[in-house]
Amino acid sequence: EVQLVESGGGLVQPGGSLRLSCAASGFIFDNYDMTWVRQAPGKGLEWVSSIKSGGYSVYAPSVKGRFTASRDNAENTLYLQMNSLKTEDTAVYSCHRSWGVVPGSLRGQGTQVTVSS
């Protein structure tokens, strides 16, 4: 089955860190660019980061310098290391099989990240 499954979300205090994972299955992972997207309560989808198969990555200005995307093509897994978390980072984070936000692209179910004291 072709799917993406995120994990690693949770509740963290401002200034804390989390690492999200996205496990891919059913397709040749290293053939695809991948993207992290988030959606805060009551808001639309927000692009966070995209990463190419070789590891080149780009970031939204709101997370640049705090978040780092990476991937392990041997393990078919995408990661998002999130440091210096802020309350405004609270959202459901999902991984997408795309470069950027592409409607209709394969996506996971998402994992909740809540930043609160």
Side-chain angles (χ1 to χ4, degrees):
E1 182 181 3
V2 176
Q3 64 177 355
L4 298 169
V5 179
E6 301 93 339
S7 61
L11 174 64
V12 62
Q13 293 186 340
S17 298
L18 280 175
R19 189 175 81 154
L20 306 183
S21 299
C22 168
S25 59
F27 63 96
I28 302 174
F29 181 67
D30 58 2
N31 280 0
Y32 291 89
D33 304 328
M34 297 294 295
T35 289
W36 286 103
V37 176
R38 67 186 182 185
Q39 186 166 23
K43 297 188 176 181
L45 293 177
E46 179 188 8
W47 171 72
V48 174
S49 175
S50 295
I51 183 169
K52 289 195 172 289
S53 177
Y56 172 77
S57 56
V58 292
Y59 301 91
S62 59
V63 307
K64 192 172 184 179
R66 300 188 297 121
F67 290 11
T68 303
S70 62
R71 60 193 294 165
D72 185 334
N73 289 335
E75 295 294 327
N76 297 332
T77 304
L78 175 71
Y79 300 101
L80 185 67
Q81 177 67 44
M82 305 186 296
N83 299 328
S84 302
L85 283 161
K86 305 176 182 179
T87 55
E88 52 263 44
D89 295 319
T90 294
V92 175
Y93 286 71
S94 58
C95 57
H96 295 227
R97 193 178 68 178
S98 62
W99 180 258
V101 179
V102 177
S105 62
L106 178 69
R107 58 177 292 179
Q109 82 290 347
T111 186
Q112 176 71 48
V113 172
T114 302
V115 185
S116 175
S117 56

